[in-house]
């Protein structure tokens, strides 16, 4: 089976300083891969190489067996859902307009957009009759995050990217958001990359975990394999969860 996503000796530098070095990874359809690492380890850089926000200095990143350099970047980004902290919502758009943005840009009929928005809001425990007309400032942090996830799912992309989406949430809200994410992961079976520096989150969410350290892939495996890995950086992360 051909991978949906593939990093092939991908590297990225800023002003001659390596940020990501010789990254080789593959993701199969429906797999959730967690990119784990300290700040500055290259996690977010790797994520941005997938949707063309950055281009590799050497090597390549393949989406559906095409290098990102050969994609029309607008088309590529509309095929990939992207979720950041607090959802990255447009403050002057209502919830309904935020969630329906990409389907609108894709030319969907208004009635189809509304049906899709309402379906997703209901799925994410945001009753549309209560939330569709609200603005981001009228939402809690957890609600904004769920709206951000709904927006990423709106055009039914095959690939989802999550850049520390729960990092700004309080512990209780974060636990609730994580539980909801797991439900979506298991029901929708999207191919996803989830960036975090929280090893407990990585162990709960990832089908596999890729640990980055100083721009290099340090460890790769299932959560069970990860907990048995002898590497010093793996052991340091596991110790941090004790």
């Amino acid at each position: 089976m051909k991978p949906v996503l593939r990093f092939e000796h991908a590297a990225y530098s800023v002003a001659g300083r390596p940020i990501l070095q010789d990254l080789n990874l593959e993701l199969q359809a429906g797999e959730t891969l967690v990119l784990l690492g300290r700040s500055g380890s290259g996690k977010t850089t790797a994520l941005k190489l997938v949707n063309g926000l950055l281009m590799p200095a050497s090597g390549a990143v393949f989406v559906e067996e095409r290098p990102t350099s050969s994609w029309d970047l607008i088309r590529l980004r509309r095929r990939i859902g992207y979720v950041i902290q607090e959802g990255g919502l447009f403050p002057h758009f209502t919830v309904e307009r935020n969630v329906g943005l990409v389907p609108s840009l894709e030319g969907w009929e208004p009635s189809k957009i509304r049906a899709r928005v309402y379906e997703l809001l209901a799925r994410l425990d945001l009753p549309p009759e209560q939330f569709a007309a609200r603005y981001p400032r009228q939402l809690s942090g957890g609600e904004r995050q769920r709206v951000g996830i709904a927006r990423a799912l709106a055009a039914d992309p095959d690939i989802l990217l999550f850049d520390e989406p729960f990092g700004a949430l309080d512990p209780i809200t974060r636990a609730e958001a994580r539980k909801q994410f797991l439900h979506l992961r298991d029901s929708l079976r999207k191919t996803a990359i989830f960036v975090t520096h929280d090893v407990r989150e990585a162990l709960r969410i990832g089908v596999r975990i890729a640990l980055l350290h100083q721009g290099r892939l340090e460890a790769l495996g299932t959560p069970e394999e990860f907990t048995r890995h002898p590497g010093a950086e793996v052991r340091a992360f596991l110790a941090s969860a004790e």
Side-chain angles (χ1 to χ4, degrees):
M1 184 182 298
K2 292 182 178 179
V4 175
L5 289 176
R6 177 161 56 93
F7 295 80
E8 188 174 281
H9 302 293
Y12 186 80
S13 301
V14 174
R17 183 172 68 89
I19 304 298
L20 200 64
Q21 304 179 65
D22 196 34
L23 180 61
N24 293 283
L25 274 177
E26 292 185 353
L27 276 82
Q28 299 297 328
E31 179 181 17
T32 296
L33 176 77
V34 170
L35 286 181
L36 177 67
R38 306 182 193 219
S39 297
S41 63
K43 308 183 300 297
T44 295
T45 296
L47 203 70
K48 290 180 177 180
L49 291 176
V50 174
N51 64 2
L53 288 174
L54 298 173
M55 286 292 167
S58 61
V61 178
F62 294 83
V63 176
E64 298 172 358
E65 289 299 298
R66 289 176 57 189
T68 54
S69 58
S70 76
W71 278 86
D72 176 294
L73 292 181
I74 292 176
R75 297 304 312 154
L76 176 65
R77 290 168 191 159
R78 289 185 187 175
R79 292 171 67 93
I80 297 173
Y82 189 39
V83 183
I84 61 175
Q85 282 190 25
E86 295 257 344
L89 305 177
F90 292 105
H92 54 294
F93 285 6
T94 63
V95 165
E96 181 173 353
R97 193 175 174 194
N98 264 291
V99 175
L101 179 60
V102 174
S104 176
L105 293 172
E106 291 289 277
W108 290 24
E109 291 292 328
S111 59
K112 183 181 177 183
I113 295 173
R114 171 162 283 199
R116 178 63 171 166
V117 169
Y118 279 36
E119 172 199 349
L120 289 169
L121 291 179
R123 183 188 283 266
L124 287 158
D125 296 327
L126 297 167
E129 64 276 8
Q130 297 179 32
F131 287 93
R134 294 186 186 180
Y135 288 86
R137 66 179 180 275
Q138 298 171 308
L139 306 175
S140 69
E143 289 164 352
R144 285 193 295 272
Q145 198 60 61
R146 280 181 277 161
V147 172
I149 292 172
R151 185 175 67 179
L153 291 168
D156 199 22
D158 292 325
I159 299 167
L160 297 170
L161 306 177
F162 296 86
D163 192 359
E164 302 206 46
F166 310 145
L169 303 179
D170 64 80
I172 294 174
T173 304
R174 183 169 184 151
E176 292 170 347
R178 187 186 298 130
K179 183 177 179 180
Q180 203 155 37
F181 174 86
L182 288 171
H183 175 71
L184 289 172
R185 183 197 72 179
D186 295 340
S187 61
L188 298 178
R189 300 292 298 169
K190 299 289 186 181
T191 305
I193 300 179
F194 190 105
V195 165
T196 185
H197 60 265
D198 184 335
V199 67
R200 287 168 294 192
E201 190 163 78
L203 292 168
R204 290 188 179 101
I205 283 176
V207 174
R208 287 190 300 157
I209 300 170
L211 177 66
L212 295 179
H213 181 53
Q214 297 179 351
R216 292 188 178 276
L217 182 61
E218 191 83 4
L220 176 66
T222 65
E224 294 76 15
E225 291 167 339
F226 187 85
T227 59
R228 297 194 300 267
H229 196 285
E233 188 69 2
V234 174
R235 306 322 299 178
F237 264 95
L238 293 172
S240 74
E242 293 177 354

